[in-house]
Amino acid sequence: MRLHKVYHRFSLFSLSPPPSLPLLHHLAKPLSSVSSLVTRRPARSLSIPRHSVTTVRSAGAMTASRFHNLVPLNAIGTEDGGGSNGSVSSSAATASAADDEALDGGYRLPPQEIRDIVDAPPLPALSFSPQRDKILFLKRRSLPPLSDLARPEEKLAGIRIDGQCNTRSRMSFYTGIGIHQLMPDGTLGPEKEVHGLPDGAKINFVTWSNDGRHLAFSVRVDEDDVNSSKLRVWIAEVETGKARSLFQSPDIYLNAVFDNFVWVDNSTLVVCTIPLSRGDPPKKPVVPLGPKVQSNEQKNVVQVRTFQDLLKDQYDEDLFEYYATTQLVFASLEGTVKPTGPPAIYTSIDPSPDEKYLLITSIHRPYSFIVPCGRFPKKVDVWTTDGKFVRELCDLPLAEDIPIAFNSVRQGMRSINWRADKPSTLYWVETQDGGDAKVDVSPRDIIYTQPAEPLEREQPRILHKLDLRYGGISWCDDSLALIYESWYKTRRTRTWVISPGSDDANACILFDRSSEDVYSDPGSPMLRRTPTGTYVIAKVRKENEEGTYILLNGSGATPNGNIPFLDLFDIGLNSFRNTGSKERIWESDKEKYYETVVALMSDENNGELDMNLLKILTSKESKTENTQYYIQSWPDKRACQITNFPHPYPQLASLQKEMIRYERKDGVQLTATLYLPPDYDPAKDGPLPCLVWSYPGEFKSKDAAGQVRGSPNEFAGIGPTSPLLWLARRFAILSGPTIPIIGEGDEEANDRYVEQLVASAEAAVEEVIQRGVAHPNKIAVGGHSYGAFMTANLLAHAPHLFCCGIARSGAYNRTLTPFGFQNEDRTLWEATTTYVEMSPFMSANKIKKPILLIHGEEDNNPGTLTMQSDRFFNALKGHGALCRLVILPFESHGYAAQESIMHVLWETDRWLQKYCVLNASNAKEELDTCKDSVSTVNIDLESKSVGATGGGVSEMADLEQERLCSMRSSL
């Protein structure tokens, strides 16, 4: 992931954005300290979101008998002689006949020191009750076996469906639920296990009732009986932990392809069920009814990126409809069941805060063969909570023609939600530029609001007009709301403060800044829970003082690293002007620890918060101490630790970590995190083999590109495929060296991609060599997705820097993504030279260093088709390059199965030992022959022909990047 830390061992899935806020990317931050999927999210409730959450799977125990076909790698050690330079933990050896024999096939195991880290038991996820008096420990399994991924799945309309379960395929799960009372002194009471579940229960979609008395969740069991794999809705009493099935009938199953269930009130849920009248799945015709035809005889301009798993024919349409069609059912805890509405493909059910209405979203025909289901015709209705139709808000047509330019959106009503501070008031946004970001118009977006049941002829009220693209709203009350807008091309982001209940008050800009300028980020408002279960901006009352105060939670980026803070901010509503007055009431430790504010814990009562009674949930960690959670109470700011998780890999507890700064030759300041093995001393041990692992990023200014992001005191989270695993093999790891691709003003960053890429890599390599921690002939480079693309380009254009490369799940030929990729929104025909020069496929003849390509056989990430690695490997092999291609059966863009992950680690370790640790080439001699490679490639590639076969989209594998993509081209 770029710029965001991921914890692979522990997560707070409960801290998700409020339903009143759409997905917001980093250009406009209405939530406080929102990070990635498994990091801390302070804005929503501390209750699990009702939508599916994909967990990051952590490694667990693995038995040798289970993997009889896995063979441990006999470690290849240090080069002969030379003392301890380039040493690894295993004995020295060279590539042998046994090693060659091991390449014949079968899954392999990495060295024991790596397996010990990956096999560490996963820690639970946490969820706090709405009243903040109880905590759930959601227990997780280890890495899944490959057999889980091998289950049949249907690839339809851009999603993958497990037909047996009637849910999304490859869905992780919890294995148990423990309930802890949060005692008044901040300690945890004894665990109460949720009991009464069937053996082997797989638990998903855990949600609290609004009063905190019940839990709802789904349960499935893998048995030979097909129906056992289907999901059933269960209920547990929090007080006793006793669980039971919600439905008395054994024939009612959950349909979780889109939404699943939601609490309407404390005793009733709306459940998406499989229609009882549904028969067998449609059968594919043995003989097709006709050819597959697509036509554009109307000469429409339709440019789409390379979406995968799309519908292909009438059979696919019928199959998608079969699995996705839902019957909505009202189910009470007492056992009454009431079907409501006709069966349809319902994608979202959202109750109003006053529990009187439902906002129902569905999709319908005509479907499309070129875009995923998010762009299918969409209908949004208002129903009462007893199932009566009230009115249709909109019925949007098929959206195949959303422009590829960033910030382009769908036409018509979008981001339709309930106001969090009102009983049943809707708001939404409508574009004024036809959805095309290239159209210059003012205003660009208009925000409307209207009651659920307006009076006759009552028109929607205009709440606010925006000249940039709408990015969300944080509600408070009729006197205060914050509206966010942003524009990607300029990186401009603005926050408006408005008074929603007054037509006379003028809105004013609270913050106007560049999203790239992290040093100027003022933070995001903390939200509090209301009695209706929604989340609004928390107002704070200071004793004996007037004024309207809110809490701003910020990451606190500084040239010395992030120092998170909590500010008491006087928003100045009396004069409706931003006074700018703020008081820092909390700040992270700067010396040893990294602390963050996770959420408010004193919001159980309605109204303003008393400053002297403030409670917050914080996290605390250091370079060597894993994350623990605390409750801090005012006025004395007393901190009480509520978790005591063991160190997940004590063998690396004393690893060395340093955030380093250095300069590119054009003056751009760069940063990286340097990790060194425990007990390593460069003076005594000499330079080590080094692995550089990174991911390029685009910027509009050199100053922003040079800013420091992250903290030197953050705990080193090590995931199952993390490069930090090679600390256990005595490697130096340069993690996340910034690779800024800068395009200032009207300049397009990618027009100088290769030049800036090489310059950044040169600066990073020179720094680790100058420090004496990396052997100049033993520096490897690697990356995933766009990082794999980077790796291939560096081996082509800077072979003097690296001895070998590891490229996972990348795209290497940009002519296969002709309608844009990553942050490039020009087409191949608009920027032909850039597309060709950036493609390492076109420079396959220049790659002379060993490169290991790894790719999931079922990669569904837009732009990174498995074919990309296949064709790149053939191009390399056709020029005699030293290369290896590993295709992982059943794996997608990221790798999940234990067999796959262990084998990836074995392949990576073998490659590093053979071509990095044992490398005897002379980097200085290669520098002389390769120093002009960047200028040469520009000349050579000018004359190359371009062949385009398909479309593409960005290699945005992490959750934060997917959100950014969805905001730029709203579905």
Side-chain angles (χ1 to χ4, degrees), residues 28-42:
K29 289 175 45 184
L31 305 182
S32 46
S33 188
V34 176
S35 187
S36 59
L37 178 64
V38 292
T39 54
R40 302 164 292 279
R41 299 182 183 212

Side-chain angles (χ1 to χ4, degrees), residues 40-59:
R40 302 164 292 279
R41 299 182 183 212
R44 167 114 155 96
S45 106
L46 299 182
S47 57
I48 294 275
R50 61 186 177 86
H51 295 292
S52 170
V53 176
T54 303
T55 64
V56 174
R57 303 173 177 90
S58 298

Side-chain angles (χ1 to χ4, degrees), residues 879-945:
H879 289 90
L882 199 168
C883 54
R884 179 172 171 83
L885 172 64
V886 179
I887 300 295
L888 302 170
F890 303 113
E891 293 290 352
S892 186
H893 190 59
Y895 317 137
Q898 189 162 31
E899 294 94 325
S900 302
I901 286 174
M902 290 295 182
H903 189 81
V904 166
L905 300 178
W906 177 83
E907 291 278 2
T908 303
D909 190 72
R910 172 186 173 271
W911 206 254
L912 291 173
Q913 300 298 327
K914 191 170 184 178
Y915 300 113
C916 182
V917 173
L918 299 180
N919 180 51
S921 62
N922 191 315
K924 292 182 179 179
E925 291 179 1
E926 292 178 359
L927 175 59
D928 294 334
T929 60
C930 301
K931 60 184 179 180
D932 296 326
S933 60
V934 175
S935 59
T936 302
V937 73
N938 290 340
I939 298 171
D940 291 346
L941 295 180
E942 291 280 2
S943 59
K944 287 186 179 290
S945 60

Side-chain angles (χ1 to χ4, degrees), residues 403 405-412 414 428-448 464-471 485-490 492 494 496 967-968:
F406 294 145
N407 288 122
S408 294
V409 296
R410 191 173 193 159
Q411 296 187 60
R414 71 181 198 277
W428 66 89
V429 184
E430 294 185 32
T431 181
Q432 307 300 300
D433 57 14
D436 188 349
K438 292 185 177 180
V439 174
D440 190 11
V441 65
S442 179
R444 190 172 292 277
D445 275 340
I446 297 180
I447 306 169
Y448 296 92
H464 193 59
K465 297 179 180 181
L466 301 169
D467 285 336
L468 308 181
R469 188 62 79 203
Y470 167 80
E485 63 173 341
S486 63
W487 198 247
Y488 176 74
K489 278 293 186 183
T490 61
R492 188 180 187 186
R494 296 196 296 196
W496 292 84
M967 285 297 297
R968 291 176 189 157

